[in-house]
Amino acid sequence: MFKDMSFMFPLATVNLTNTRIRTLTNLIESNGGQMKLGPDTLMIVGSDATVELCQKQFAKFNLDFEQYRYQFLNPDWVSQSLLNKKLQEQKKFQLFPEVVFQPVLEEVPEFKTKLVYVEALAKTVPVREEVVEQDDGDINIYNIKDNELRMKYEKRMEEFRRDILKEYKQILDYEYDYDLDNFHNQVDDGYEYLLEDLSILKKEEPQIPESEKFYGDDDCQITETRKVKFDILDGLDLGKSVVNVEQPILSAQLKETKQFNPGLKRKQQFWEAKKGYFVCEAGAAQKCQNNEIIEELEKLLKIYTNEKDKGRCIAYRKAIGFLKALPYPIKSSEDLKDMPTIGDKIKKKIIEIMQTGKLTKVQKLEGQEKNVAISELTRVWGIGPTTAATFYFKGIKTLEDLKKNLHLLNRNQQVGLQLVKDLEQRIPREEATLIFEIVKREIDDLSGVQGLFKATACGSYRREKETCGDMDILITRCDGKNTEDFLLNLITRLEGKLLTHHLTMPKRTEHDCETYMGIGRVSNQAVHRRIDLKLYPKEQYGCAVLYFTGSDHYNRSMRLWAQKNGYTLSDHGLYPTQRGAHNKKLWKGEVIPCEEEMDVYKILGLKYKPPKERSV
DNA sequence: CAGTAG
DNA sequence: AGGCCTTACTG
DNA sequence: GCCT
């Protein structure tokens, strides 16, 4: 059975980051090859040119290509095999011509990775000497006479087979997990609103008997559930045969969604029950009960952010999110029992804060020269933790030092340094309104037609805060026509009246939206402010406004809700999406036009929240 | 690609 | 053992 | 650092 899947290789053995995989995919696909990325496996099909390209790319990645070459299939072998409708065992081993099997115990290295099982497999099977038929009809072919050695290989093959089967099952199994894991993850992320009823965390989800399981939607019944064979074609073309789509369906959009999303309705029902736990539905959390603890942990979070300790950052962010949502104050270590996101280490820290009011760890780290320097340097726009750290190691530790080393800064950072005092100040609401008025007036003057373009000031301004950190102004053309150089012209016009420095100039992206980032002030005496202007096509406007209105926390909640309901939400739009194992995106549909925020809420089935109530 | 920002 | 949000631009 |  496993002969047809030996081309799949565990990704764990290859040191490829997501970015690298993306690069590799683009490279391969733009040269006619194909790459299939499973949850943990990588498969590449292509020509000699593909292999050559990969070889070069691997060199760039500083990876030893030879070590991973098994991943690349011999194209002749593939086409031959497909032609013969069968992947021939004999031919398979032509892939590894230089490997000569030596059935000697000492020659079999103790491999530790899964990849090696494949290699061992390849070495053991090619010469047929003994055929054994098992009870279940499976035929095993051995060339190893030494019983002990054979058992060893058999065991390895079995393990390998199990692993691959598991992985395949994860990709192909469209039946959703109803277990609490999903819900745990959701609370986990700390994005969600936790109501008083914490018992939900411990409640067992009832087992659904097979007869009651729901495999399809009313208007989209599954007529056939086909077990996909382990064949290369199925590997490349997942899931299409699962659903009968001859049924009347609302729109082409939905038709496609359902084709790829059998059981969506069942899934939606599941999440509908949990809706109240999402911030985007529940609204602002009640008054926070654990401020002291949270403040101290946030200090630690900031330090870890500067140290670029990504893992810890997430852990602390989750813990903080969870504590923020907790409806009661923590009084004793008893209260911390069995809390998600709070493990031993964080628990200890919380106890320390409860007892002494602070953390020795924070004191220690905050006092460190490096951390002082980094928090000082990152005040400058354009300098993040990494740049700050390199500066620190060059002996540059304060803003004064930076001023003496202007040649080390890029233009934006120089501007950021020059205006650091101004940009740190919050913008009073009146001034923000004034800036918005100036921009709006200029938009109308430039377009020549009142109301042709509309603009919205987002961010905390829209959430009706008294002050805001920067101005986020979103613009769209209401008749949906091309906007050409509108944003550029607008910026030119604003140069004398508002804008003083440009940070990034607008450039058309593939989504047809443009972003400008800059600095401006309402008068020569006024404080400089960060000003962002964004031009979006009107189909994306709703999503963009929603996204840039925030808050951060609210956004995450909403994106998560979208994910759980079979969509992907970003500033560019709402897309139906099929996700497989590990939440990996398998398929992304066409964008659903949302000109107004309301459209997004409607499609996601959420109650509309006025911006004011989104400050979570 | 890494770093930065949103 | 590997992932913790996504997308885009700059240099 | 936490979780599966």
Side-chain angles (χ1 to χ4, degrees):
Chain A
M1 196 178 182
F2 51 82
K3 67 171 193 256
D4 287 344
M5 46 174 138
S6 57
F7 51 79
M8 296 198 61
F9 294 91
L11 205 51
T13 58
V14 192
N15 183 16
L16 291 175
T17 60
N18 284 342
T19 320
R20 284 175 165 181
I21 288 169
R22 216 183 307 149
T23 314
L24 206 55
T25 316
N26 289 341
L27 192 72
I28 290 168
E29 282 176 2
S30 60
N31 283 283
Q34 268 180 301
M35 183 159 131
K36 185 81 202 168
L37 188 65
D40 311 297
T41 53
L42 176 74
M43 181 168 75
I44 294 169
V45 186
S47 59
D48 289 346
T50 315
V51 178
E52 205 173 299
L53 278 167
C54 290
Q55 202 162 12
K56 280 188 190 150
Q57 194 57 45
F58 266 56
K60 277 190 195 163
F61 290 158
N62 224 352
L63 293 173
D64 181 7
F65 178 76
E66 281 307 309
Q67 196 189 335
Y68 303 121
R69 63 186 295 279
Y70 320 103
Q71 291 169 89
F72 301 97
L73 298 177
N74 179 333
D76 292 331
W77 169 72
V78 175
S79 42
Q80 275 272 319
S81 305
L82 291 179
L83 213 61
N84 298 340
K85 298 267 196 297
K86 212 174 161 195
L87 300 178
Q88 292 292 329
E89 217 169 41
Q90 299 287 342
K91 298 209 178 209
K92 177 166 61 174
F93 301 105
Q94 290 172 10
L95 278 177
F96 315 110
E98 77 286 355
V99 177
V100 183
F101 175 65
Q102 302 268 327
V104 183
L105 190 56
E106 298 85 84
E107 301 241 340
V108 184
E110 273 303 323
F111 295 116
K112 286 202 180 84
T113 60
K114 289 182 196 167
L115 176 65
V116 177
Y117 290 140
V118 178
E119 203 191 348
L121 223 63
K123 280 180 184 170
T124 52
V125 194
V127 192
R128 301 175 180 223
E129 285 195 13
E130 195 182 336
V131 179
V132 177
E133 193 167 348
Q134 288 178 309
D135 297 341
D136 57 6
D138 258 283
I139 293 179
N140 286 326
I141 302 155
Y142 305 109
N143 68 327
I144 312 167
K145 297 212 169 125
D146 180 334
N147 262 335
E148 194 188 330
L149 193 60
R150 184 206 287 172
M151 300 280 272
K152 201 167 156 190
Y153 279 131
E154 264 179 8
K155 211 176 134 212
R156 282 188 179 180
M157 286 194 267
E158 188 49 44
E159 275 173 29
F160 176 68
R161 200 177 72 96
R162 246 200 338 260
D163 283 353
I164 295 288
L165 275 174
K166 212 164 88 191
E167 279 161 8
Y168 247 110
K169 201 165 147 41
Q170 280 174 345
I171 303 175
L172 298 178
D173 214 344
Y174 282 130
E175 202 183 300
Y176 292 102
D177 276 345
Y178 293 71
D179 61 84
L180 273 187
D181 284 359
N182 269 335
F183 185 59
H184 262 299
N185 283 337
Q186 172 224 331
V187 174
D188 225 42
D189 287 348
Y191 309 148
E192 302 325 318
Y193 186 68
L194 198 64
L195 300 177
E196 292 85 336
D197 182 18
L198 281 170
S199 61
I200 187 76
L201 294 173
K202 293 166 198 158
K203 221 189 290 175
E204 289 289 331
E205 197 64 15
Q207 287 281 324
I208 301 168
E210 188 62 32
S211 55
E212 284 174 31
K213 274 191 184 166
F214 188 90
Y215 288 102
D217 293 346
D218 295 338
D219 55 347
C220 187
Q221 284 292 341
I222 295 175
T223 53
E224 183 190 11
T225 313
R226 198 186 299 165
K227 272 275 178 245
V228 184
K229 280 183 299 181
F230 297 106
D231 186 276
I232 189 163
L233 286 179
D234 290 321
L236 291 173
D237 193 9
L238 294 172
K240 279 188 182 161
S241 58
V242 186
V243 177
N244 176 6
V245 288
E246 302 296 308
Q247 307 284 328
I249 289 168
L250 296 176
S251 67
Q253 180 79 61
L254 277 176
K255 178 173 167 182
E256 231 181 326
T257 313
K258 292 210 171 136
Q259 182 180 350
F260 283 87
N261 245 344
L264 179 65
K265 192 167 172 183
R266 185 71 182 81
K267 192 180 162 194
Q268 275 170 347
Q269 282 169 1
F270 176 80
W271 285 108
E272 188 67 29
K274 312 274 188 244
K275 205 190 216 175
Y277 295 89
F278 283 75
V279 160
C280 52
E281 177 71 7
Q286 69 271 54
K287 208 162 173 278
C288 182
Q289 303 276 330
N290 293 291
N291 276 323
E292 195 190 14
I293 297 169
I294 288 166
E295 265 173 44
E296 207 63 15
L297 290 180
E298 266 171 353
K299 282 185 200 163
L300 212 49
L301 172 62
K302 201 187 153 202
I303 292 166
Y304 285 132
T305 313
N306 285 343
E307 286 183 0
K308 306 209 62 173
D309 194 337
K310 223 173 150 195
R312 281 202 178 80
C313 282
I314 290 162
Y316 278 92
R317 204 184 59 206
K318 281 179 181 177
I320 290 170
F322 178 81
L323 288 174
K324 272 189 181 166
L326 210 56
Y328 54 85
I330 290 173
K331 293 200 188 86
S332 68
S333 54
E334 274 300 297
D335 293 342
L336 290 170
K337 252 190 171 172
D338 296 329
M339 294 291 201
T341 77
I342 295 178
D344 278 355
K345 303 272 191 79
I346 294 187
K347 201 192 313 182
K348 264 186 199 154
K349 291 196 173 77
I350 293 177
I351 292 170
E352 189 187 337
I353 297 169
M354 281 192 298
Q355 286 167 352
T356 66
K358 58 194 173 193
L359 274 176
T360 44
K361 180 132 186 176
V362 173
Q363 311 247 301
K364 210 172 84 190
L365 290 173
E366 260 187 351
Q368 275 175 14
E369 196 191 11
K370 186 184 167 192
N371 289 327
V372 174
I374 290 181
S375 13
E376 172 93 357
L377 295 176
T378 47
R379 284 165 61 194
V380 178
W381 195 93
I383 297 183
T386 312
T387 321
T390 46
F391 280 144
Y392 172 76
F393 288 117
K394 282 179 187 160
I396 300 169
K397 292 165 191 176
T398 63
L399 297 186
E400 288 305 312
D401 295 342
L402 274 182
K403 279 181 191 153
K404 290 179 213 141
N405 290 285
L406 282 182
H407 60 283
L408 291 175
L409 300 177
N410 66 31
R411 222 195 68 81
N412 287 348
Q413 290 165 338
Q414 286 180 19
V415 175
L417 176 60
Q418 192 192 326
L419 302 176
V420 68
K421 289 257 162 56
D422 277 13
L423 298 183
E424 272 176 349
Q425 291 175 48
R426 311 268 311 161
I427 312 173
R429 197 167 171 78
E430 298 73 37
E431 192 184 330
T433 312
L434 186 56
I435 294 174
F436 185 41
E437 291 301 326
I438 294 173
V439 175
K440 264 203 294 200
R441 195 181 323 134
E442 216 53 53
I443 290 171
D444 281 339
D445 281 1
L446 180 57
S447 72
V449 183
Q450 191 83 24
L452 179 58
F453 285 82
K454 68 178 169 188
T456 313
C458 300
S460 36
Y461 180 81
R462 187 147 180 268
R463 297 202 312 273
E464 299 181 33
K465 292 277 169 197
E466 274 317 300
T467 62
C468 39
D470 67 345
M471 285 300 292
D472 262 328
I473 299 174
L474 247 65
I475 307 164
T476 193
R477 182 169 170 146
C478 299
D479 63 2
K481 288 199 183 134
N482 199 343
T483 45
E484 283 160 32
D485 293 328
F486 184 81
L487 190 54
L488 205 61
N489 289 334
L490 179 68
I491 291 158
T492 322
R493 277 166 157 261
L494 284 168
E495 265 169 13
K497 297 171 185 165
L498 178 70
L499 301 177
T500 54
H501 302 76
H502 303 314
L503 296 170
T504 68
M505 291 303 272
K507 208 170 112 190
R508 264 297 147 97
T509 68
E510 56 174 315
H511 289 288
D512 283 334
C513 58
E514 301 175 36
T515 304
Y516 163 83
M517 286 155 77
I519 295 169
R521 56 178 169 179
V522 288
S523 77
N524 286 344
Q525 288 74 44
V527 182
H528 287 89
R529 309 295 192 189
R530 279 274 298 106
I531 295 170
D532 289 346
L533 303 175
K534 298 172 211 244
L535 181 64
Y536 276 76
K538 81 170 181 171
E539 317 83 69
Q540 298 179 24
Y541 199 62
C543 290
V545 169
L546 183 72
Y547 184 80
F548 289 107
T549 300
S551 66
D552 217 24
H553 187 177
Y554 184 86
N555 277 345
R556 289 191 176 171
S557 172
M558 195 126 167
R559 274 177 276 167
L560 195 65
W561 172 259
Q563 253 187 43
K564 300 296 180 204
N565 284 276
Y567 297 93
T568 297
L569 178 63
S570 82
D571 56 335
H572 298 300
L574 188 61
Y575 301 84
T577 327
Q578 169 67 50
R579 279 165 198 271
H582 302 326
N583 220 18
K584 274 216 167 73
K585 244 185 244 177
L586 294 179
W587 167 84
K588 188 173 174 179
E590 290 298 308
V591 64
I592 302 170
C594 295
E595 197 183 335
E596 301 291 337
E597 283 183 315
M598 199 54 185
D599 300 332
V600 185
Y601 281 93
K602 265 189 205 154
I603 291 167
L604 292 180
L606 294 164
K607 259 188 296 191
Y608 178 79
K609 284 267 173 290
K612 204 169 153 184
E613 290 171 34
R614 300 185 207 162
S615 299
V616 207

